[in-house]
Amino acid sequence: QGDIIDSTSPPTTSPVNDIIDTSTPTTSPTVTPSLRPSSLPSSIPTLSQAPSREPTDRPSSSATPSQNPSNVPSMSPTLSFTPSAAPIQYSRPTRVDIRYVPWNELDPETQKIAMNLDYTNTTWNKYGANPIEESSWEDLTTEQTGNASLLGYDMKSWDCWINHYEG
């Protein structure tokens, strides 16, 4: 049979002559454990440009933009909370709020117009569920653009708020 281990007895220690003084850091790992750990690490951390395996608690370099921009791109992006300036002017079309009213709160006339665009209770209340939403304004039939107009849409608002410029 195997040995019986008494888990209540204290751990054994090495003989006194095997204990290493650790009041000062060592330059290499020690094989024999010490009774008291040193207050300093046994080696100095190295500074490396190589990525580490663990995240750090702070950025490795300054994340503030430079005061004097250069014409040469940097190796990493600059973090900024200032929006970038687009090369073209853009204004988002006005949202057609009727589209965000639940089906059961629409008046019967609006429901009829929506049904002419193949909306149902389910597809109206779940954005992106109606296949017509995959079509850009230019891909809609004259009848469909007429019904969309009755809901308050034009080409810009449809392509932005319904199609999301994906058609």
Side-chain angles (χ1 to χ4, degrees), residues 60-116:
S60 55
S61 63
S62 173
T64 56
S66 61
Q67 295 298 320
N68 301 316
S70 68
N71 292 330
V72 180
S74 61
M75 296 303 289
S76 62
T78 301
L79 300 176
S80 174
F81 295 104
T82 306
S84 61
I88 57 170
Q89 287 219 346
Y90 171 76
S91 62
R92 182 171 46 202
T94 304
R95 185 175 84 163
V96 178
D97 289 333
I98 194 71
R99 180 63 185 90
Y100 302 96
V101 174
W103 180 266
N104 62 350
E105 294 178 21
L106 296 174
D107 61 74
E109 182 62 28
T110 304
Q111 285 182 354
K112 184 177 180 182
I113 295 168
M115 286 188 282
N116 290 338

Side-chain angles (χ1 to χ4, degrees), residues 10-19 32-35:
T12 57
T13 57
S14 301
V16 174
N17 59 354
D18 286 348
I19 297 174
T32 307
S34 61
L35 290 179

